[in-house]
Amino acid sequence: MLLSRMPLRAVRNHVLPKYATVAQYSLQRAALEAVVETPRGRPLRVYSTHLSHLADGDRAAQLDALLDIHRRAPSEGAGWCGARDDAGWTDGRPAVPMPREAIVMGDFNLTHASPLYERIVGPMSPQYGRMTNPEGFVDCWVAAGHREDEGVTCLSGSLNSGERIDFCFASAALAPALRRAWIDPDADGSDHQPIFVEIDA
């Protein structure tokens, strides 16, 4: 689900790959995409997702699909694009541009130690730190000054020792706009703790 105080200019839902299982409980996963108009009038793509709870082997195809959706979005355009003589189809509104920058957030069911985390934020150099590609993503929690291995967003199930498996990733170009990130340890609306990110975009 995506809730926004600012106008949503376009919305699409993307079904992610599903690995069929015999014994384990496997669920269909998706990524909800919206183009949000920020307070500064800047359009920004936002994704909400929940990857498989089973294993990295199941999540890998979902993550690859999600990253591919992100890469293709600017060239595909929104759910409708172009022009039409009959304004009834478009309610008289112009087509929505698909911005390059995006925020991807949700329950990824993986930790910073997973090889899949590296696919999102780039490889680690022992000498120089995280090697983020300009077209890639930053982990907002880390970009706001926290360590990759700190923070707890889930204390349930097999993660009763506490791990950060809920993330907010932002396009590298948005990193300078990050102001802060925090986790509310006292929220009791879920078995996960919410992570908040403040971006001046």
Side-chain angles (χ1 to χ4, degrees), residues 15-22 24-30 52-54 57-63 65:
V15 176
L16 299 178
K18 181 177 179 293
Y19 186 87
T21 55
V22 174
Q24 299 83 4
Y25 187 55
S26 180
L27 295 167
Q28 180 65 63
R29 307 292 181 163
S52 171
H53 65 287
L54 292 176
D58 188 20
R59 287 185 287 271
Q62 295 172 352
L63 180 60

